[in-house]
Amino acid sequence: EIIQGDGLLLLPAFVDLHAHLREPGQEYKEDIASGLAAAAAGGFAHVCAMPNTRPVNDTRSITEAMIARARAIGGPALHPIGAITMGQKGAELTEMADLKDAGAVAVSDDGRCVTSSSVMRRALEYAKTFDLTIIQHAEDHALTDGAQMHEGAISTRLGLRGWPRVAEDIIVARDVLLAEATGARYHVAHISSLGAVRILREAKARGIAVTAEVTPHHLTLTDAAVLGYDTACKVNPPLREQADVDALREALADGTIDAVATDHAPHSTLEKDCEFAEASPGLIGLELVVPVLLDLVRQGALPLGRLVDALTRAPARIARLEAPTIKAGARAELCLVDPNLSFVLDPARLRSKSKNTPFLGRQLTGRVKMTLASGRVVFVDGEGAAT
Ligand code: DOR
Ligand code: ZN
Ligand code: ZN
C-alpha cells in the first residue's frame, strides 16, 4: 500500500481518532473549517472530533450540526465523538443510541471529566449494546490535583507540582478490568506511561477488547522540553521520561499500541503566553504528523508500514470507518508525501487558527504535498521549494 516513485511516497490518507476542533463555542481557538483545513494539510481524510465543545456534544442535534457544517465545507470527513455523560459532568449517561444514529463514531468524556468506576461500568455496558467504543482519558484526579507536568526530577527542579505515572496506570488498569467484566470495547486515549503500556500488553495477551492510541508528541518529546517553563509543552497527559518514550515506541512498533492520534488541542496565544500554572494544556498536531513521525522511521525506531497502518487501517477499525486504501476502483483517499523535503516550521504556514506547538522554528523533514479525501483533492502544497 506504499507506492514509491520520483522521490515521493503515495500513501492512503490518514484517519485521526482524536482531535479537538472547538466548534461549537470556542471558535477563537479553532473552528471546523480551520481544523479540517489543517487536517487536509496534514494528510488526513477523516477526523474524529472530541465532544468537549461548548456546549458539550451530548445530543443528536449537536452531532448532526457538526456533520452538516463539515459537509458544507467539503474537506476531510468529520466524525463526531459523543460525550459519555451529559455535559461531561460524570453523572447521567448520554442517549448513546441517538448519538450513534446521528453519526457519532465513539463516545468519550476526554477533556472534561474523570468518570467514576460506577459510571464507567454502566457506560461500558450501555455502549456495548450499540457496539460503540468508549475512548477515555486515563487520569486519577485524586493524584493529579494541581499538577502542571510529569512528576520527576525536572518538575522538582522547576518547582512545579507533578502528575505521577501511576495516576494514569491506575485508571487504565481499572478500565481494562471493567472492559473485561462487561465485554465492552475500551480504547485508551493518548497512552503516555510505561506502566500503562505494560497493562495494555497484558490485557491484549488475555484477549480483552482493549485498543490504544499514542500521540506524536509523547513519542518524541520528554519532560526535559518543559525546562525554561515552555508552555507549548504543557499538555495533559504530560510529556514523560525517556523510558516512557522508549516503551511507547516499542509498543507502537510491535502493534500493542494500535494507532497514532494527534490530540490536536488548539489554544490561543493568550492562553499560552502566560505563567506556566495559568497556561491551557494541549498542543496542535494535525499538520505535523508526517515530519515528526518520519523522523522515527529514519531513526529505525518504527517501520514505515507500521506507521502507515497506525494512521489508516488501525484507527479506521476502532472508529468503525472504512479505511482509506490505494486500490483501483476505490474512492480516492490518499496523500502524496515528500519524505526528504526539509523546512523550518513557520507559524504563518499553519492552517490551524492556533499556533501552539513546540516545533515552531524547528528544522523538520518530510512534507505532505497533496491530499485527496472522498475522491476530491482537498489540499495541494502551494510552495514547491523549501521555506
Ligand atoms: O492537553 C489536553 N488538552 N488534554 C486534554 O485532555 C484536553 C485537551 C484540550 O481540550 O485542550
Ligand atoms: Zn485527554
Ligand atoms: Zn484530547
Side-chain angles (χ1 to χ4, degrees):
E1 283 220 321
I2 300 167
I3 298 172
Q4 192 154 11
D6 250 4
L8 299 182
L9 297 171
L10 179 64
L11 307 174
F14 310 146
V15 177
D16 193 6
L17 274 175
H18 190 147
H20 298 272
L21 298 187
R22 309 299 192 204
E23 183 178 346
Q26 292 181 307
E27 289 86 351
Y28 68 97
K29 297 177 194 252
E30 194 81 284
D31 59 26
I32 289 173
S34 63
L36 291 180
F44 290 88
H46 297 268
V47 181
C48 302
M50 278 295 173
N52 63 331
T53 46
R54 311 277 164 91
V56 164
N57 179 15
D58 56 12
T59 48
R60 166 193 287 277
S61 61
I62 298 171
T63 300
E64 286 174 348
M66 289 169 69
I67 293 172
R69 177 82 192 107
R71 291 214 174 122
I73 292 161
L78 180 148
H79 308 283
I81 293 170
I84 295 173
T85 58
M86 293 307 290
Q88 294 190 308
K89 291 194 169 82
E92 186 195 345
L93 296 186
T94 54
E95 194 38 80
M96 293 179 196
D98 280 357
L99 292 170
K100 180 173 178 174
D101 188 56
V105 293
V107 287
S108 179
D109 273 354
D110 184 72
R112 274 292 184 92
C113 173
V114 176
T115 315
S116 73
S117 44
S118 111
V119 170
M120 186 65 175
R121 185 171 75 136
R122 281 194 286 122
L124 284 160
E125 278 169 349
Y126 190 36
K128 183 185 170 188
T129 62
F130 312 112
D131 192 33
L132 266 180
T133 301
I134 294 211
I135 300 180
Q136 266 308 41
H137 178 114
E139 173 179 353
D140 183 346
H141 262 194
L143 292 170
T144 62
D145 192 30
Q148 299 293 324
M149 63 174 296
H150 173 68
E151 180 184 283
I154 296 196
S155 65
T156 303
R157 199 154 124 199
L158 292 172
L160 294 172
R161 190 189 290 277
W163 204 109
R165 289 186 184 92
V166 72
E168 174 166 327
D169 306 347
I170 285 170
I171 300 298
V172 171
R174 181 199 79 176
D175 290 346
V176 158
L177 293 172
L178 289 172
E180 181 178 29
T182 57
R185 292 196 288 124
Y186 162 52
H187 178 78
V188 187
H190 44 49
I191 193 166
S192 75
S193 76
L194 47 80
V197 168
R198 197 198 60 205
I199 293 162
L200 174 69
R201 187 173 275 120
E202 289 170 0
K204 285 191 160 187
R206 292 179 46 228
I208 299 168
V210 57
T211 52
E213 68 190 30
V214 63
T215 70
H217 46 280
H218 290 109
L219 287 166
T220 54
L221 299 170
T222 67
D223 57 350
V226 180
L227 285 169
Y229 300 94
D230 184 358
T231 58
C233 295
K234 180 173 177 179
V235 60
N236 185 352
L239 302 174
R240 299 197 188 271
E241 297 175 42
Q242 194 58 47
D244 301 279
V245 170
D246 292 344
L248 294 169
R249 289 179 176 191
E250 186 190 348
L252 179 61
D254 74 17
T256 299
I257 295 175
D258 305 81
V260 165
T262 65
D263 198 9
H264 178 82
H267 295 294
S268 71
T269 306
L270 274 175
E271 291 163 324
K272 285 292 193 178
D273 195 6
C274 58
E275 284 296 309
F276 199 87
E278 309 304 321
S280 299
L283 44 88
I284 58 168
L286 283 166
E287 295 172 78
L288 294 164
V289 164
V290 161
V292 169
L293 294 182
L294 279 183
D295 227 31
L296 290 192
V297 174
R298 282 188 289 265
Q299 288 170 36
L302 187 63
L304 179 60
R306 180 75 263 276
L307 173 60
V308 172
D309 183 72
L311 284 166
T312 58
R313 248 191 314 238
R317 181 168 27 83
I318 292 159
R320 298 291 197 250
L321 297 170
E322 200 183 317
T325 53
I326 301 176
K327 203 167 59 190
R331 179 184 58 171
E333 295 205 304
L334 42 93
C335 64
L336 206 52
V337 169
D338 183 340
N340 299 313
L341 180 57
S342 272
F343 63 99
V344 173
L345 184 63
D346 172 0
R349 281 187 58 93
L350 292 169
R351 269 80 179 165
S352 178
K353 279 190 191 181
S354 293
K355 314 295 171 187
N356 52 309
T357 162
F359 294 103
L360 284 188
R362 287 219 210 172
Q363 183 88 30
L364 299 171
T365 303
R367 194 142 97 190
V368 175
K369 302 299 292 178
M370 184 185 279
T371 307
L372 279 86
S374 197
R376 288 180 304 105
V377 176
V378 294
F379 171 74
V380 180
D381 184 16
E383 291 165 55
T387 53

